[in-house]
Amino acid sequence: MSQPTFHLSLLVSDLEQTRRFYEQQLGARVGRATEHWIDLWLFGAQVTAYARPDAVMPLPYRQAQHFGATLDWAAWQALADRLTATATVFQLDPTVWTDKGQAKMVLADPDGYLVEIKAYRDESILGRPS
């Protein structure tokens, strides 16, 4: 039996713009797609974007809504370096707290959904199940 996969769905205003952002900025891979929705594989999760421009909640109502991923330290650093080199606009610039052994960056997608990407030098503090 394969591992369970986390799934998230987002209502977006422009499907092609969303696709480009997740592919180009975050390295997502496109799965199934129609003219009304697209599956994006991102950090091991399936993110389905539905073209529903009239249903996208306006800012500031969704500013606290976010999703994210916890990467291993080297993958986080490589992504932060690549995004910084391409002049990506961040909501929180890639930041490393060496005293805590933590790193974080936050980006906003074209509809303003926040994507938080974190890393921990000592992943044992996460308490992940085996």
Side-chain angles (χ1 to χ4, degrees):
M1 179 176 186
S2 64
Q3 285 289 97
T5 301
F6 180 76
H7 173 86
L8 172 71
S9 66
L10 300 174
L11 304 176
V12 302
S13 56
D14 183 316
L15 204 54
E16 190 54 38
Q17 187 178 25
T18 297
R19 177 183 181 153
R20 279 194 310 274
F21 171 83
Y22 284 97
E23 280 184 309
Q24 294 172 6
Q25 298 294 103
L26 299 177
R29 184 177 51 82
V30 175
R32 302 173 308 150
T34 73
E35 65 181 274
H36 302 290
W37 57 265
I38 186 169
D39 285 338
L40 300 161
W41 288 95
L42 177 66
F43 305 128
Q46 182 188 47
V47 177
T48 302
Y50 292 95
R52 299 278 307 276
D54 295 337
V56 176
M57 188 182 301
L59 289 171
Y61 302 107
R62 70 182 130 73
Q63 285 180 318
Q65 294 177 334
H66 77 279
F67 68 97
T70 301
L71 307 181
D72 70 44
W73 196 267
W76 184 92
Q77 189 62 64
L79 180 60
D81 291 345
R82 183 177 64 76
L83 292 174
T84 300
T86 61
T88 296
V89 175
F90 294 94
Q91 297 297 307
L92 172 66
D93 289 334
T95 304
V96 175
W97 295 276
T98 45
D99 59 325
K100 296 178 182 178
Q102 298 177 15
K104 180 162 78 169
M105 65 182 120
V106 179
L107 295 85
D109 81 358
D111 283 297
Y113 294 109
L114 299 180
V115 183
E116 177 184 35
I117 305 165
K118 305 185 288 187
Y120 298 87
R121 282 205 187 272
D122 178 5
E123 291 187 14
S124 69
I125 67 171
L126 295 175
R128 285 185 177 156
S130 302

